[in-house]
Amino acid sequence: MKRIIAVIREEKFEEVKTALIEAGCDGMNVSTVKGRGRQLGMKESYRGSSICIDLIPKTRIELIVNEEDLEDIIQVIQENARTGEVGDGKIFVSDVLEVIRIRTGERGSDAV
């Protein structure tokens, strides 16, 4: 099993969520985060003063998937989160040693 953490633009979240559900991936955790990478922030004007907002609001999606579904899910996220501009986000993939469904005690792939 693999854990996918995708940090994407807030405005692309609904599109990505809908595509993930259509791809059969309905279980996900979602949170609003702030961060920065190569985008380095945004310059805005407030009451005549120029300010730099260097931590950009993003949406973080966390998924646990079976290994055979990994590449398909990554592709779905990439296709639906991409704008082609700096700041589209990142996808992180890591191993998951065990998953246990609390309600039933199921383990491994059955619990995903």
Side-chain angles (χ1 to χ4, degrees):
M1 289 168 292
K2 299 290 186 178
R3 175 172 58 176
I4 300 173
I5 297 174
V7 180
I8 63 170
R9 294 175 182 269
E10 288 183 316
E11 63 268 20
K12 298 298 277 181
F13 171 66
E14 286 300 323
E15 191 176 331
V16 171
K17 180 182 81 170
T18 301
L20 286 168
I21 291 169
E22 287 173 2
C25 187
D26 8 312
M28 63 185 82
N29 291 311
V30 178
S31 55
T32 301
V33 296
K34 291 183 179 183
R36 65 180 261 178
R38 290 189 179 153
Q39 192 175 6
L40 300 180
M42 302 180 295
K43 292 197 187 311
E44 290 189 359
S45 184
Y46 178 73
R47 294 188 178 186
S49 297
S50 182
I51 58 172
C52 180
I53 301 170
D54 64 344
L55 294 177
I56 310 298
K58 300 284 184 179
T59 300
R60 175 185 160 133
I61 305 168
E62 189 168 346
L63 310 156
I64 306 298
V65 299
N66 290 315
E67 201 150 342
E68 60 269 12
D69 299 327
L70 178 65
E71 288 305 319
D72 292 337
I73 297 301
I74 289 172
Q75 189 68 29
V76 166
I77 295 168
Q78 281 183 306
E79 288 174 0
N80 291 279
R82 182 181 295 128
T83 67
E85 301 295 322
V86 174
D88 279 350
K90 298 269 190 306
I91 300 172
F92 305 94
V93 179
S94 58
D95 290 321
V96 173
L97 300 177
E98 183 70 87
V99 175
I100 303 163
R101 185 182 311 266
I102 294 172
R103 181 176 53 85
T104 62
E106 293 171 292
R107 290 179 172 257
S109 298
D110 293 335
V112 175

